[in-house]
Amino acid sequence: MRTTTLGGSTVEVSELALGCAGIGNLFHPVTDEAAHATVDAAWDAGIRTFDTAPHYGLGLSERRLGAALRNRPRDTYTLSTKVGRLLEPRPEGGRGDDLAQGFAVPATHRRVWDFSADGVLRSLEASLDRLGLDRVDIALLHDPDDHAEQALTEAYPALERLRAEGVVKAIGIGVNQCALPARFLRETDIDVVLLAGRYTLLDQEGLAEVLPEAAARGRSVIVGGVFNSGLLTNPKPGAMYDYAPTPPHVLDRALRMKAVADRHGVPLRAAALRFPLGHPAVASVLSGARSPEEVRDTVDQMRRTVPAALWDELRAEELLPPHVPVPAAAPQSWG
Protein backbone atom coordinates (compact mmCIF):
# COMPACT_ATOMS: atom_id res chain seq x y z
CA MET A 1 0.00 0.00 0.00
CA ARG A 2 1.28 3.45 -0.90
CA THR A 3 2.63 5.58 1.96
CA THR A 4 3.18 9.31 2.35
CA THR A 5 5.31 11.35 4.74
CA LEU A 6 3.33 13.76 6.89
CA GLY A 7 4.24 17.41 6.46
CA GLY A 8 7.80 18.17 7.49
CA SER A 9 8.00 15.13 9.75
CA THR A 10 9.51 11.70 9.23
CA VAL A 11 6.21 9.92 9.91
CA GLU A 12 4.92 7.64 7.18
CA VAL A 13 1.18 7.01 6.84
CA SER A 14 -0.51 4.42 4.67
CA GLU A 15 -2.99 5.61 2.05
CA LEU A 16 -5.75 3.90 4.05
CA ALA A 17 -5.70 4.17 7.84
CA LEU A 18 -7.79 2.33 10.42
CA GLY A 19 -9.93 4.46 12.71
CA CYS A 20 -10.32 2.68 16.03
CA ALA A 21 -13.40 4.27 17.58
CA GLY A 22 -15.37 1.17 16.50
CA ILE A 23 -13.25 -1.19 18.58
CA GLY A 24 -13.93 1.14 21.50
CA ASN A 25 -17.61 0.09 21.30
CA LEU A 26 -18.83 3.06 19.29
CA PHE A 27 -22.65 2.79 19.50
CA HIS A 28 -22.54 -1.03 19.84
CA PRO A 29 -20.51 -3.56 21.87
CA VAL A 30 -17.61 -5.36 20.21
CA THR A 31 -15.88 -8.32 21.83
CA ASP A 32 -12.18 -8.32 22.62
CA GLU A 33 -11.75 -11.11 20.09
CA ALA A 34 -13.52 -9.20 17.32
CA ALA A 35 -11.50 -6.07 18.08
CA HIS A 36 -8.23 -8.00 17.85
CA ALA A 37 -9.34 -9.70 14.63
CA THR A 38 -10.26 -6.30 13.15
CA VAL A 39 -6.76 -4.95 13.72
CA ASP A 40 -5.25 -8.18 12.37
CA ALA A 41 -7.37 -7.92 9.22
CA ALA A 42 -6.19 -4.34 8.68
CA TRP A 43 -2.60 -5.46 9.09
CA ASP A 44 -3.04 -8.34 6.66
CA ALA A 45 -4.45 -5.88 4.10
CA GLY A 46 -1.36 -3.69 4.33
CA ILE A 47 -2.76 -0.96 6.58
CA ARG A 48 0.02 0.40 8.79
CA THR A 49 -1.59 3.52 10.25
CA PHE A 50 -3.91 3.33 13.26
CA ASP A 51 -5.76 6.17 14.99
CA THR A 52 -7.25 6.08 18.47
CA ALA A 53 -8.07 8.40 21.39
CA PRO A 54 -8.84 8.30 25.13
CA HIS A 55 -12.36 9.47 24.26
CA TYR A 56 -13.11 6.25 22.35
CA GLY A 57 -14.80 3.96 24.84
CA LEU A 58 -13.20 5.67 27.86
CA GLY A 59 -9.84 4.20 26.95
CA LEU A 60 -11.12 0.85 25.69
CA SER A 61 -10.00 1.56 22.11
CA GLU A 62 -6.46 2.35 23.25
CA ARG A 63 -6.26 -0.78 25.39
CA ARG A 64 -7.51 -3.03 22.60
CA LEU A 65 -5.37 -1.43 19.90
CA GLY A 66 -2.25 -1.67 22.03
CA ALA A 67 -2.93 -5.32 22.78
CA ALA A 68 -3.46 -6.13 19.10
CA LEU A 69 -0.26 -4.37 18.03
CA ARG A 70 1.98 -5.36 20.93
CA ASN A 71 3.74 -8.22 19.16
CA ARG A 72 4.20 -6.30 15.91
CA PRO A 73 7.62 -4.68 15.28
CA ARG A 74 7.19 -1.15 16.63
CA ASP A 75 8.99 0.53 13.73
CA THR A 76 6.67 -1.03 11.15
CA TYR A 77 3.50 0.95 11.90
CA THR A 78 2.31 4.46 12.74
CA LEU A 79 0.04 5.11 15.71
CA SER A 80 -1.77 8.32 16.57
CA THR A 81 -3.71 9.25 19.65
CA LYS A 82 -5.17 12.46 20.97
CA VAL A 83 -5.00 14.89 23.88
CA GLY A 84 -7.55 17.27 25.39
CA ARG A 85 -9.82 14.92 27.32
CA LEU A 86 -8.47 13.45 30.55
CA LEU A 87 -10.23 10.39 31.98
CA GLU A 88 -10.98 10.66 35.69
CA PRO A 89 -12.45 7.73 37.68
CA ARG A 90 -15.99 8.25 38.90
CA PRO A 91 -16.13 8.01 42.68
CA GLU A 92 -19.39 6.09 42.57
CA GLY A 93 -17.73 3.33 40.53
CA GLY A 94 -19.40 3.99 37.21
CA ARG A 95 -23.12 3.36 37.43
CA GLY A 96 -24.83 3.32 34.06
CA ASP A 97 -23.26 3.45 30.63
CA ASP A 98 -21.50 5.90 28.35
CA LEU A 99 -24.03 5.80 25.50
CA ALA A 100 -24.80 9.48 25.93
CA GLN A 101 -21.27 10.01 24.60
CA GLY A 102 -21.76 7.35 21.94
CA PHE A 103 -19.96 4.38 23.49
CA ALA A 104 -21.43 1.13 24.78
CA VAL A 105 -19.16 0.85 27.82
CA PRO A 106 -19.70 1.23 31.58
CA ALA A 107 -19.42 4.84 32.71
CA THR A 108 -16.41 4.14 34.93
CA HIS A 109 -14.73 7.46 34.14
CA ARG A 110 -15.69 10.99 33.22
CA ARG A 111 -14.03 13.08 30.56
CA VAL A 112 -12.46 16.33 31.69
CA TRP A 113 -11.46 18.89 29.07
CA ASP A 114 -7.85 19.95 29.63
CA PHE A 115 -5.67 21.66 27.04
CA SER A 116 -3.08 22.85 29.55
CA ALA A 117 0.57 21.86 29.14
CA ASP A 118 0.29 19.60 32.17
CA GLY A 119 -2.89 18.11 30.74
CA VAL A 120 -1.06 17.20 27.53
CA LEU A 121 1.68 15.41 29.45
CA ARG A 122 -0.76 13.60 31.72
CA SER A 123 -2.91 12.56 28.77
CA LEU A 124 -0.02 11.09 26.78
CA GLU A 125 1.34 9.29 29.83
CA ALA A 126 -2.06 7.72 30.48
CA SER A 127 -2.46 6.79 26.82
CA LEU A 128 0.90 5.02 26.78
CA ASP A 129 -0.10 3.12 29.89
CA ARG A 130 -3.36 1.98 28.29
CA LEU A 131 -1.65 1.14 25.01
CA GLY A 132 1.14 -0.75 26.75
CA LEU A 133 3.58 0.75 24.23
CA ASP A 134 6.65 2.91 24.62
CA ARG A 135 5.57 5.70 22.28
CA VAL A 136 3.00 7.09 19.90
CA ASP A 137 4.05 8.61 16.60
CA ILE A 138 1.41 11.34 16.23
CA ALA A 139 -0.27 13.39 18.95
CA LEU A 140 -3.37 15.36 17.97
CA LEU A 141 -5.33 18.04 19.79
CA HIS A 142 -8.80 16.50 19.95
CA ASP A 143 -11.79 18.76 19.23
CA PRO A 144 -10.53 21.95 20.92
CA ASP A 145 -13.44 23.90 19.41
CA ASP A 146 -14.51 25.52 22.69
CA HIS A 147 -10.95 25.72 24.05
CA ALA A 148 -9.15 27.29 21.12
CA GLU A 149 -7.07 29.84 23.02
CA GLN A 150 -5.82 27.37 25.61
CA ALA A 151 -5.09 24.85 22.88
CA LEU A 152 -3.05 27.43 20.97
CA THR A 153 -1.19 28.98 23.88
CA GLU A 154 -0.70 26.00 26.22
CA ALA A 155 -1.36 22.62 24.60
CA TYR A 156 0.29 23.36 21.27
CA PRO A 157 3.60 24.61 22.75
CA ALA A 158 3.69 21.48 24.94
CA LEU A 159 3.27 19.28 21.88
CA GLU A 160 5.92 21.28 20.05
CA ARG A 161 8.38 20.63 22.90
CA LEU A 162 7.55 16.92 22.90
CA ARG A 163 8.24 16.81 19.17
CA ALA A 164 11.53 18.66 19.59
CA GLU A 165 12.55 16.18 22.30
CA GLY A 166 11.64 13.23 20.08
CA VAL A 167 8.88 11.99 22.37
CA VAL A 168 6.47 12.18 19.44
CA LYS A 169 7.36 12.51 15.77
CA ALA A 170 4.44 14.57 14.49
CA ILE A 171 1.79 16.84 15.98
CA GLY A 172 -1.50 18.24 14.80
CA ILE A 173 -5.18 18.79 15.38
CA GLY A 174 -8.20 16.53 14.88
CA VAL A 175 -11.55 18.25 14.30
CA ASN A 176 -14.75 18.18 12.26
CA GLN A 177 -14.78 21.91 11.47
CA CYS A 178 -12.58 24.08 9.26
CA ALA A 179 -12.01 27.49 10.85
CA LEU A 180 -9.81 26.28 13.72
CA PRO A 181 -7.48 23.97 11.76
CA ALA A 182 -6.98 26.74 9.19
CA ARG A 183 -5.93 29.03 12.03
CA PHE A 184 -3.54 26.40 13.39
CA LEU A 185 -2.01 25.98 9.94
CA ARG A 186 -1.44 29.74 9.72
CA GLU A 187 -0.23 30.34 13.27
CA THR A 188 1.64 27.19 14.29
CA ASP A 189 4.02 24.58 12.94
CA ILE A 190 1.75 21.52 13.07
CA ASP A 191 2.49 18.64 10.74
CA VAL A 192 -1.02 17.37 10.10
CA VAL A 193 -4.74 18.09 10.30
CA LEU A 194 -7.14 15.21 10.83
CA LEU A 195 -10.27 16.62 9.20
CA ALA A 196 -13.48 14.63 9.72
CA GLY A 197 -16.49 15.01 7.45
CA ARG A 198 -15.44 18.28 5.84
CA TYR A 199 -13.87 16.95 2.65
CA THR A 200 -16.24 14.40 1.20
CA LEU A 201 -18.36 13.89 -1.90
CA LEU A 202 -21.16 15.73 -0.08
CA ASP A 203 -19.16 18.43 1.71
CA GLN A 204 -16.05 20.15 0.35
CA GLU A 205 -15.88 22.90 2.98
CA GLY A 206 -12.25 21.96 3.61
CA LEU A 207 -11.34 23.11 0.11
CA ALA A 208 -11.96 26.76 1.02
CA GLU A 209 -9.11 27.15 3.52
CA VAL A 210 -7.75 24.02 5.17
CA LEU A 211 -6.50 22.10 2.14
CA PRO A 212 -4.99 25.13 0.35
CA GLU A 213 -3.30 26.29 3.58
CA ALA A 214 -1.86 22.82 4.16
CA ALA A 215 -0.63 22.52 0.57
CA ALA A 216 0.94 25.98 0.61
CA ARG A 217 2.85 25.21 3.81
CA GLY A 218 3.90 21.68 2.96
CA ARG A 219 1.65 20.19 5.64
CA SER A 220 -0.62 17.17 5.36
CA VAL A 221 -4.28 16.36 5.85
CA ILE A 222 -5.74 13.02 6.90
CA VAL A 223 -9.40 12.87 5.92
CA GLY A 224 -11.88 11.03 8.13
CA GLY A 225 -15.66 10.76 8.06
CA VAL A 226 -15.70 10.18 4.29
CA PHE A 227 -19.14 8.55 4.49
CA ASN A 228 -20.69 11.43 6.49
CA SER A 229 -22.01 9.16 9.25
CA GLY A 230 -22.84 6.39 6.82
CA LEU A 231 -25.04 8.26 4.36
CA LEU A 232 -22.60 7.65 1.50
CA THR A 233 -22.52 3.91 2.14
CA ASN A 234 -26.24 3.45 1.57
CA PRO A 235 -28.33 6.59 1.11
CA LYS A 236 -31.95 5.97 2.06
CA PRO A 237 -34.71 7.56 4.16
CA GLY A 238 -33.78 7.44 7.83
CA ALA A 239 -30.03 7.49 7.18
CA MET A 240 -27.86 9.70 9.37
CA TYR A 241 -25.74 12.59 8.13
CA ASP A 242 -23.05 14.04 10.38
CA TYR A 243 -24.55 12.36 13.47
CA ALA A 244 -28.07 13.70 12.82
CA PRO A 245 -31.07 12.80 10.65
CA THR A 246 -30.33 13.58 7.00
CA PRO A 247 -32.03 16.74 5.65
CA PRO A 248 -34.22 15.92 2.61
CA HIS A 249 -32.13 17.97 0.16
CA VAL A 250 -28.93 16.21 1.27
CA LEU A 251 -30.57 12.79 0.94
CA ASP A 252 -31.75 13.69 -2.56
CA ARG A 253 -28.23 14.70 -3.54
CA ALA A 254 -26.75 11.48 -2.14
CA LEU A 255 -29.32 9.39 -3.99
CA ARG A 256 -28.51 11.17 -7.24
CA MET A 257 -24.81 10.48 -6.63
CA LYS A 258 -25.59 6.82 -6.07
CA ALA A 259 -27.49 6.68 -9.35
CA VAL A 260 -24.46 8.10 -11.17
CA ALA A 261 -22.12 5.62 -9.47
CA ASP A 262 -24.48 2.75 -10.32
CA ARG A 263 -24.44 3.71 -13.98
CA HIS A 264 -20.67 3.29 -13.95
CA GLY A 265 -20.75 0.01 -12.04
CA VAL A 266 -19.05 1.50 -8.99
CA PRO A 267 -20.41 1.33 -5.43
CA LEU A 268 -20.94 4.83 -4.07
CA ARG A 269 -18.83 3.99 -1.03
CA ALA A 270 -15.88 3.22 -3.32
CA ALA A 271 -16.11 6.65 -4.91
CA ALA A 272 -16.49 8.25 -1.47
CA LEU A 273 -13.36 6.50 -0.17
CA ARG A 274 -11.18 7.47 -3.09
CA PHE A 275 -12.47 11.01 -3.61
CA PRO A 276 -10.32 12.85 -0.99
CA LEU A 277 -7.09 11.45 -2.46
CA GLY A 278 -7.55 13.71 -5.48
CA HIS A 279 -6.16 16.64 -3.50
CA PRO A 280 -2.35 16.78 -3.17
CA ALA A 281 -2.49 17.79 0.51
CA VAL A 282 -4.36 14.60 1.47
CA ALA A 283 -1.96 11.95 2.72
CA SER A 284 -4.39 9.32 3.96
CA VAL A 285 -8.05 8.40 4.27
CA LEU A 286 -9.10 7.27 7.74
CA SER A 287 -11.94 4.74 7.86
CA GLY A 288 -13.32 3.01 10.93
CA ALA A 289 -14.24 -0.64 11.30
CA ARG A 290 -15.50 -2.96 14.02
CA SER A 291 -15.01 -6.34 12.31
CA PRO A 292 -12.64 -8.08 9.89
CA GLU A 293 -15.46 -8.15 7.33
CA GLU A 294 -15.78 -4.36 7.44
CA VAL A 295 -12.04 -3.97 7.02
CA ARG A 296 -11.96 -6.28 4.04
CA ASP A 297 -14.92 -4.52 2.41
CA THR A 298 -13.26 -1.13 2.88
CA VAL A 299 -10.02 -2.38 1.36
CA ASP A 300 -11.90 -3.93 -1.56
CA GLN A 301 -13.68 -0.65 -2.24
CA MET A 302 -10.44 1.31 -1.99
CA ARG A 303 -8.86 -0.97 -4.58
CA ARG A 304 -11.62 -0.43 -7.13
CA THR A 305 -11.04 1.58 -10.25
CA VAL A 306 -13.22 4.68 -10.32
CA PRO A 307 -13.37 5.82 -13.95
CA ALA A 308 -12.85 9.43 -14.92
CA ALA A 309 -16.28 9.30 -16.59
CA LEU A 310 -17.93 8.94 -13.17
CA TRP A 311 -16.39 12.19 -11.92
CA ASP A 312 -17.26 13.85 -15.24
CA GLU A 313 -20.90 12.87 -14.89
CA LEU A 314 -21.05 14.08 -11.28
CA ARG A 315 -19.82 17.44 -12.53
CA ALA A 316 -22.23 17.43 -15.47
CA GLU A 317 -25.11 16.74 -13.07
CA GLU A 318 -23.87 19.62 -10.85
CA LEU A 319 -23.30 17.18 -8.00
CA LEU A 320 -19.58 18.02 -7.83
CA PRO A 321 -18.23 21.53 -8.42
CA PRO A 322 -16.01 21.84 -11.50
CA HIS A 323 -12.99 23.14 -9.55
CA VAL A 324 -12.81 20.20 -7.12
CA PRO A 325 -9.84 17.90 -7.86
CA VAL A 326 -10.51 14.21 -8.35
CA PRO A 327 -8.22 11.18 -8.00
CA ALA A 328 -6.61 9.09 -10.70
CA ALA A 329 -8.81 6.33 -12.06
CA ALA A 330 -6.95 3.48 -10.38
CA PRO A 331 -5.14 3.25 -7.04
CA GLN A 332 -1.37 2.91 -7.11
CA SER A 333 0.96 0.44 -5.41
CA TRP A 334 -1.69 -1.77 -3.83
CA GLY A 335 -0.72 -5.34 -3.11
Side-chain angles (χ1 to χ4, degrees):
M1 189 181 301
R2 187 175 70 90
T3 62
T4 302
T5 302
L6 288 181
S9 75
T10 60
V11 174
E12 294 282 326
V13 294
S14 49
E15 189 173 61
L16 181 61
L18 181 67
C20 295
I23 66 170
N25 288 11
L26 179 65
F27 303 131
H28 305 287
V30 174
T31 65
D32 289 343
E33 293 76 15
H36 201 298
T38 299
V39 177
D40 285 348
W43 188 277
D44 292 343
I47 293 171
R48 294 294 183 270
T49 302
F50 304 88
D51 176 74
T52 185
H55 171 56
Y56 302 157
L58 294 172
L60 180 62
S61 173
E62 289 183 318
R63 290 192 295 273
R64 285 175 162 174
L65 180 60
L69 292 174
R70 198 155 301 144
N71 293 324
R72 307 285 187 184
R74 184 60 189 86
D75 292 334
T76 60
Y77 62 87
T78 295
L79 191 153
S80 67
T81 194
K82 305 182 184 74
V83 301
R85 289 176 175 92
L86 294 176
L87 304 181
E88 293 189 354
R90 290 185 181 274
E92 68 272 19
R95 299 189 188 95
D97 57 45
D98 192 52
L99 282 172
Q101 298 294 325
F103 294 92
V105 297
T108 56
H109 291 69
R110 67 187 186 99
R111 299 167 179 83
V112 178
W113 291 104
D114 192 336
F115 287 95
S116 67
D118 180 66
V120 167
L121 298 178
R122 289 170 58 200
S123 182
L124 281 177
E125 183 179 7
S127 288
L128 290 174
D129 183 61
R130 287 187 290 266
L131 287 160
L133 299 171
D134 62 353
R135 69 183 187 277
V136 297
D137 302 290
I138 307 167
L140 301 170
L141 301 167
H142 198 186
D143 294 335
D145 306 50
D146 298 326
H147 310 270
E149 295 309 316
Q150 187 181 39
L152 276 161
T153 61
E154 299 181 41
Y156 167 73
L159 287 183
E160 193 175 51
R161 286 191 296 271
L162 291 172
R163 182 179 60 184
E165 294 165 0
V167 177
V168 296
K169 296 179 181 178
I171 59 176
I173 181 172
V175 286
N176 56 14
Q177 55 127 313
C178 290
L180 192 55
R183 183 180 175 189
F184 267 83
L185 285 164
R186 288 191 296 267
E187 298 180 17
T188 74
D189 189 32
I190 58 172
D191 301 291
V192 60
V193 170
L194 171 51
L195 186 66
R198 302 284 74 82
Y199 193 59
T200 74
L201 277 177
L202 282 169
D203 185 336
Q204 294 96 48
E205 183 183 348
L207 198 57
E209 281 191 283
V210 176
L211 292 164
E213 291 284 358
R217 289 166 167 75
R219 306 306 175 194
S220 297
V221 177
I222 297 172
V223 174
V226 295
F227 300 128
N228 288 117
S229 297
L231 179 61
L232 288 174
T233 62
N234 184 23
K236 60 183 180 181
M240 301 294 280
Y241 174 73
D242 285 356
Y243 313 107
T246 304
H249 73 282
V250 176
L251 177 60
D252 177 70
R253 191 156 163 254
L255 287 168
R256 291 173 62 203
M257 286 181 166
K258 183 179 185 301
V260 171
D262 288 346
R263 284 196 287 273
H264 293 274
V266 176
L268 181 59
R269 63 189 188 281
L273 272 167
R274 291 212 56 80
F275 166 74
L277 294 167
H279 196 284
V282 176
S284 180
V285 170
L286 178 71
S287 185
R290 65 179 69 247
S291 70
E293 293 75 21
E294 289 186 1
V295 170
R296 287 190 282 268
D297 178 72
T298 299
V299 171
D300 287 346
Q301 302 311 316
M302 194 73 153
R303 285 177 168 151
R304 284 180 177 266
T305 296
V306 180
L310 185 152
W311 308 118
D312 292 342
E313 186 172 348
L314 287 175
R315 286 170 169 158
E317 294 288 330
E318 298 184 346
L319 294 169
L320 195 64
H323 67 284
V324 174
V326 296
Q332 300 176 354
S333 303
W334 276 72

